[in-house]
Amino acid sequence: MPRLALRFSTQTLLLQLGVVVLVVLLSGSVHAWLVYGRIGMEAENQALTLARTVASDPAMRSQVEAISKEQGTPPATVLSAGPIQAAAEAARNRTGALFVVVTDETGLRLAHPDLVRLGERVSTDPSDALSGKEVTTRNTGTLGASAGAKVPVFAPGSTTTVVGEVSVGYSMESLGQSLAEDIVPIALTAAGSLLVGVLASFLLRRRLQRLTLGLEPEEISTLVHDQVAVLQGVDDGVIGISADGRITVFNAAARRLLGMPEGPETPGSPTAAGTAAAGGTDWSDADLAGTDWERASVPAQLKALTQPSAHDAEAVEIVAGGRVLVANARKALHRKEDLGWVVMLRDRTELQQLTRQLDAVGTMSAALRAQRHEFANQLHTIAGFMSIGQHGQAKDYLARISATGPLKFPVQQAELLQDPYLQAFVGAKSVEADERGVALRIGPETLVREHVTEPQDVTTVLGNLIDNAVNAAVAGSSTERWVELELLDEPGPDGGALHIVVADSGDGLGGVGPERVFVEGFTTAEPADGGMARAGGQGLGLALVRQLARRRGGDVRVLDPGSPGGPGAVFMATMPKVTGAPGDAQSAEHSAGAERPAAEAKEGQQ
């Protein structure tokens, strides 16, 4: 059977327990060794004190000197009954020492606990003490291991003449007993430390499992690689918000879709200043990872998606960075644990552009269908003239048809628009408006002499304003339904500006503030406060065209809010650098683009 690998958290726990046990054992051993050394040193000092006391006794000094002057050493029986043996034993019994030994100047014992050993030479070297030095020792003699001291015995009245030495020792067994008494608190302390260490290791293991969601390091590494690959490889924006309200993920696609710079800006920088001048969001805190979600500089609609009252997976449309985005949020759960929110952003700008193109094609198809009926009627008229022999009248009729062209848009003064793209676009809009009973006319102040070099941006703004005006005229209370359009180009060294003014016969904005109509999500499709009604409103058109115009350095604003009963509101748009002379290189690109369907007619309606 294959050996089961331990989980990382278990390995970590065992390693921590091993470290704790090792540290406790080492610290306990070192502490015991230090205590043992301290007890031994205390025993040596105590032995040294006792040896000094015995060696400095005048009677002891006199008696040792007397024996040292004699020839030879008295027999053991004499020594055992002598005063030196009695004094040494009295000191030993009084202090609990293992031995108190007195020798003469040659190292022969004059006093010893074992009477048999009297008169013999000591088992340990007495030379240091007999040379006049005091020493402490730890050695093993005839009575066993001991910690003691050796002190010279000087002749009475002399500090240099050594006549013997006193050796005192305390048993190492007694030192071990003292250590055993002191080791109990040491062992209790070590056991307590070990218990605390084990408990801390288990708590750390639980926290590690909670932080890693029970995943192994290899799994975490794989997840990180997969996350980086996915977040950087998808075109959708992904924003991750943790359960405590912190941004954890903010991929490059989300920055791009929200119109945020790639790197952090500082307030007052050229990019930030340009953004503020254009009326957009100041993304000065673009580096949002780790910041509080509620304080992040993202659209308020995104924050609303993550509120507790929000419905999971509910999608909303927002306008940001000149794009129409679809955003939705989902709760992130792992084994019933709340991990926070994941906000997804998808770009619908291209889809809306395709929708505008299809609307433009539909408008042109309707116009061509109407013109087909008109052309059939003209053929019937010519056939009638020919059948009755009125060849001259038939010829004049054909000449008039040739002068007016095969298509006749219901818009007046179209010749003031010298740009063929604008003529086709406004003509298509006039057919659409005419089908809804609204007359689209061009104002007398209109004059466009240059060609449009940015047809997509121009038709986005112009189409939105015309669509809103037609809707307002249809919903208005005036019996005459009209929309008046004035366009004026202003030449410039880097490209001319185009000024657009659109008025209608509707009932105006009513009680709605001029700036409120540009707020994302605001729509007047179903007015509740007397505002103008616009069919199919989405709350994105005006906000989008204003951002688009401001991004180019222009603007879209309300010149006149209008009044109930008409005339309605008047909107003005200024778009710099969108026109050029017919001979410019940009006009060639425009001419190629003009071959596409009449225009991208319809922006998402307000």
Side-chain angles (χ1 to χ4, degrees):
M1 294 180 60
R3 185 175 58 88
L4 297 178
L6 294 177
R7 296 182 61 85
F8 177 73
S9 57
T10 304
Q11 295 178 7
T12 304
L13 174 63
L14 294 178
L15 178 61
Q16 290 171 343
L17 291 179
V19 171
V20 170
V21 171
L22 180 61
V23 169
V24 170
L25 290 179
L26 286 178
S27 59
S29 300
V30 170
H31 187 52
W33 179 76
L34 293 176
V35 170
Y36 182 78
R38 177 180 58 80
I39 294 175
M41 187 174 295
E42 290 178 354
E44 291 175 355
N45 293 332
Q46 187 175 0
L48 181 61
T49 302
L50 179 60
R52 287 174 177 173
T53 302
V54 173
S56 62
D57 183 23
M60 179 67 68
R61 295 171 68 180
S62 298
Q63 293 168 2
V64 171
E65 182 187 26
I67 293 177
S68 297
K69 290 180 178 180
E70 295 179 358
Q71 293 294 327
T73 303
T77 55
V78 175
L79 293 175
S80 61
I84 298 178
Q85 175 68 17
E89 283 299 296
R92 183 179 70 84
N93 294 329
R94 185 175 65 251
T95 59
L98 176 63
F99 60 84
V100 175
V101 176
V102 182
T103 69
D104 59 9
E105 79 282 4
T106 62
L108 298 179
R109 298 188 183 99
L110 303 180
H112 193 275
D114 187 359
L115 300 179
V116 178
R117 303 289 183 179
L118 293 174
E120 298 178 356
R121 185 174 180 80
V122 293
S123 58
T124 57
D125 185 15
S127 58
D128 288 335
L130 294 177
S131 64
K133 299 179 182 178
E134 295 181 348
V135 294
T136 57
T137 62
R138 291 188 189 183
N139 47 39
T140 302
T142 57
L143 298 178
S146 64
K150 296 179 182 294
V151 173
V153 177
F154 295 99
S158 173
T159 58
T160 58
T161 303
V162 177
V163 294
E165 59 100 8
V166 176
S167 178
V168 177
Y170 285 88
S171 174
M172 298 298 290
E173 293 182 0
S174 63
L175 297 182
Q177 293 175 356
S178 300
L179 178 61
E181 295 176 357
D182 290 345
I183 206 68
V184 174
I186 297 176
L188 293 177
T189 303
S193 302
L194 182 61
L195 180 62
V196 172
V198 171
L199 181 60
S201 298
F202 274 101
L203 294 178
L204 185 59
R205 178 174 181 264
R206 288 189 58 187
R207 176 171 175 80
L208 181 62
Q209 287 182 325
R210 185 169 63 253
L211 292 177
T212 60
L213 305 178
L215 299 176
E216 295 298 303
E218 296 80 6
E219 296 174 324
I220 295 175
S221 177
T222 302
L223 285 177
V224 170
H225 285 90
D226 293 345
Q227 177 185 356
V228 172
V230 171
L231 292 181
Q232 301 303 325
V234 298
D235 291 331
D236 295 342
V238 180
I239 304 175
I241 302 99
S242 63
D244 60 353
R246 297 282 177 177
I247 297 177
T248 57
V249 176
F250 210 98
N251 70 341
R255 294 179 181 274
R256 175 177 54 82
L257 294 177
L258 292 175
M260 299 170 59
E262 290 300 325
E265 297 176 1
T266 55
S269 65
T271 308
T275 305
T281 306
D282 181 10
W283 300 106
S284 57
D285 56 344
D287 192 8
L288 296 175
T291 60
D292 185 68
W293 172 243
E294 293 299 327
R295 292 186 172 183
S297 297
V298 297
Q301 294 95 322
L302 293 183
K303 298 178 182 178
L305 291 176
T306 59
Q307 297 299 320
S309 59
H311 297 289
D312 194 16
E314 180 181 0
V316 298
E317 288 188 349
I318 64 173
V319 176
R323 299 175 182 269
V324 179
L325 307 178
V326 177
N328 70 303
R330 291 182 180 272
K331 263 290 183 183
L333 300 174
H334 179 77
R335 299 175 183 174
K336 298 183 180 181
E337 181 180 357
D338 184 6
L339 303 182
W341 290 87
V342 177
V343 179
M344 301 292 297
L345 301 174
R346 298 177 180 86
D347 191 1
R348 279 198 57 188
T349 306
E350 295 180 358
L351 179 60
Q352 288 209 345
Q353 290 175 353
L354 180 60
T355 303
R356 290 196 301 270
Q357 291 178 358
L358 292 177
D359 289 342
V361 172
T363 300
M364 293 299 295
S365 298
L368 291 174
R369 186 170 59 252
Q371 293 301 323
R372 181 176 62 83
H373 289 292
E374 182 180 353
F375 189 65
N377 292 334
Q378 292 171 350
L379 288 179
H380 286 301
T381 301
I382 294 173
F385 281 133
M386 297 298 291
S387 63
I388 63 176
Q390 298 293 330
H391 302 288
Q393 291 186 6
K395 183 178 181 180
D396 294 339
Y397 186 68
L398 284 173
R400 288 196 301 272
I401 292 177
S402 299
T404 57
L407 293 178
K408 183 179 180 181
F409 292 120
V411 60
Q412 303 174 4
Q413 304 186 54
E415 66 276 2
L416 297 177
L417 303 174
Q418 298 182 12
D419 179 71
Y421 193 92
L422 285 179
Q423 289 181 2
F425 181 77
V426 175
K429 284 296 182 183
S430 68
V431 173
E432 183 180 357
D434 186 65
E435 289 182 349
R436 301 183 64 185
V438 178
L440 177 61
R441 63 196 187 200
I442 298 178
E445 302 297 329
T446 296
L447 181 60
V448 178
R449 296 156 295 181
E450 297 186 337
H451 285 191
V452 175
T453 58
E454 300 290 341
Q456 183 172 344
D457 289 351
V458 170
T459 52
T460 296
V461 175
L462 181 58
N464 221 291
L465 295 179
I466 292 177
D467 288 342
N468 288 344
V470 170
N471 292 335
V474 171
S477 58
S478 175
T479 56
E480 294 186 4
R481 297 177 177 178
W482 52 266
V483 173
E484 185 170 286
L485 172 67
E486 289 188 349
L487 296 96
L488 179 64
D489 62 347
E490 179 184 355
D494 299 327
L498 185 64
H499 304 279
I500 304 171
V501 178
V502 180
D504 59 65
S505 60
D507 292 332
L509 300 181
V512 180
E515 290 299 317
R516 186 183 173 194
V517 297
F518 294 102
V519 176
E520 299 173 17
F522 175 80
T523 178
T524 52
E526 297 179 1
D529 55 359
M532 59 181 178
R534 303 185 180 225
Q538 298 175 359
L540 297 174
L542 288 178
L544 181 60
V545 298
R546 169 174 268 191
Q547 284 196 18
L548 190 151
R550 286 182 170 179
R551 194 171 62 221
R552 301 191 63 89
D555 200 1
V556 178
R557 62 183 184 275
V558 178
L559 292 182
D560 189 346
S563 58
V570 180
F571 285 80
M572 178 178 178
T574 302
M575 302 190 67
K577 301 179 182 180
V578 295
T579 63
D584 290 349
Q586 290 180 335
S587 65
E589 180 183 352
H590 153 69
S591 299
E595 296 176 0
R596 290 177 290 184
E600 296 170 356
K602 219 181 224 182
E603 180 62 34
Q605 297 174 349
Q606 176 74 0

